[in-house]
Amino acid sequence: MVVRTNPVDGRENEFNTWYSDQHVPEILSVPGFVGARRYVALDEPAAGSGDSDFRYLAIYEIEGPVPEALAALGAAGITPGPAMDERTSIAFYSSFPPATP
């Protein structure tokens, strides 16, 4: 699961503390979520790249059936922190070549 986010203007330190110290551990306590890694853009993304709206990227590794992990995540009731901008992009990827059932 790939999540792209931003902090609320002027609250970047609070956002990073919350994300690293609270949010990632919450997500990793959900069955099926087994790994997480966060990234921040080093430079402003190139205009027209489609990524220019987000500076932060988190990649969560899911083990097992994705629908089950997402159901568990929804049931966990995890909420965004107050320093996280409400605009978020979430996408799901499979390893390549995609695993067959």
Side-chain angles (χ1 to χ4, degrees), residues 81-96:
M84 185 171 131
D85 188 298
E86 63 185 39
R87 296 173 303 129
T88 301
S89 170
I90 301 173
F92 300 93
Y93 294 81
S94 179
S95 58
F96 188 81

Side-chain angles (χ1 to χ4, degrees), residues 20-81:
S20 294
D21 296 347
Q22 181 179 337
H23 189 61
V24 168
E26 285 178 327
I27 298 288
L28 293 180
S29 73
V30 174
F33 286 81
V34 297
R37 182 162 241 169
R38 295 185 65 217
Y39 300 87
V40 62
L42 297 177
D43 297 313
E44 291 297 320
S49 69
D51 292 330
S52 59
D53 290 339
F54 301 102
R55 288 193 57 233
Y56 286 87
L57 171 79
I59 299 176
Y60 297 94
E61 184 177 350
I62 297 172
E63 189 173 85
V66 171
E68 289 178 19
L70 296 180
L73 182 61
I78 297 170
T79 59

